[in-house]
């Protein structure tokens, strides 16, 4: 398993947590490792990427990424993993960005 991936069980728990108990202070953005996106986009059959919101067991907001095929279907199986390792902002922000405080 890639250093950037999480299990389907973990992803489902995070997504459920987001939907049933969303954070009061939403993240302004997420830092996404380029290597993770490159790895995901290089996976056979992946033409697009879909992001899902989640909250992990520590309360950290997460973005989870899955590959999407040409028919718009999520690719989640033994060959198509769920990617994470995002870092929410605040904490991992660029305060000089015009998007930080628009």
């Amino acid at each position: 398993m890639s250093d950037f991936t999480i299990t389907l069980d973990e992803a489902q728990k995070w997504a459920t947590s987001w939907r049933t108990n969303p954070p009061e202070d939403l993240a302004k953005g997420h830092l996404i490792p380029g290597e993770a996106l490159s790895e995901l986009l290089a996976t056979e059959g992946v033409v697009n990427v879909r992001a899902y919101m989640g909250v992990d067991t520590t309360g950290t907001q997460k973005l989870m990424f899955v590959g999407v095929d040409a028919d718009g279907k999520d690719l989640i199986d033994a060959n198509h993993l769920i990617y994470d390792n995002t870092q929410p902002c605040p904490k991992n922000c660029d305060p000089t960005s015009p998007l930080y405080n628009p």
Side-chain angles (χ1 to χ4, degrees), residues 5-77:
T5 61
I6 58 173
T7 66
L8 175 58
D9 183 58
E10 204 169 16
Q12 288 174 311
K13 287 177 184 172
W14 293 3
T16 298
S17 179
W18 176 270
R19 286 191 299 276
T20 60
N21 189 22
E24 289 183 26
D25 294 322
L26 296 177
K28 293 183 178 198
H30 290 264
L31 179 64
I32 304 160
E35 188 178 347
L37 284 177
S38 295
E39 191 175 297
L40 176 56
L41 287 168
T43 305
E44 185 177 341
V46 173
V47 297
N48 290 306
V49 175
R50 182 170 287 120
Y52 289 93
M53 284 80 67
V55 177
D56 71 12
T57 56
T58 69
T60 302
Q61 296 174 59
K62 303 300 245 170
L63 281 181
M64 301 170 285
F65 296 95
V66 297
V68 177
D69 68 15
D71 295 324
K73 302 290 184 189
D74 289 355
L75 297 169
I76 302 173
D77 57 34

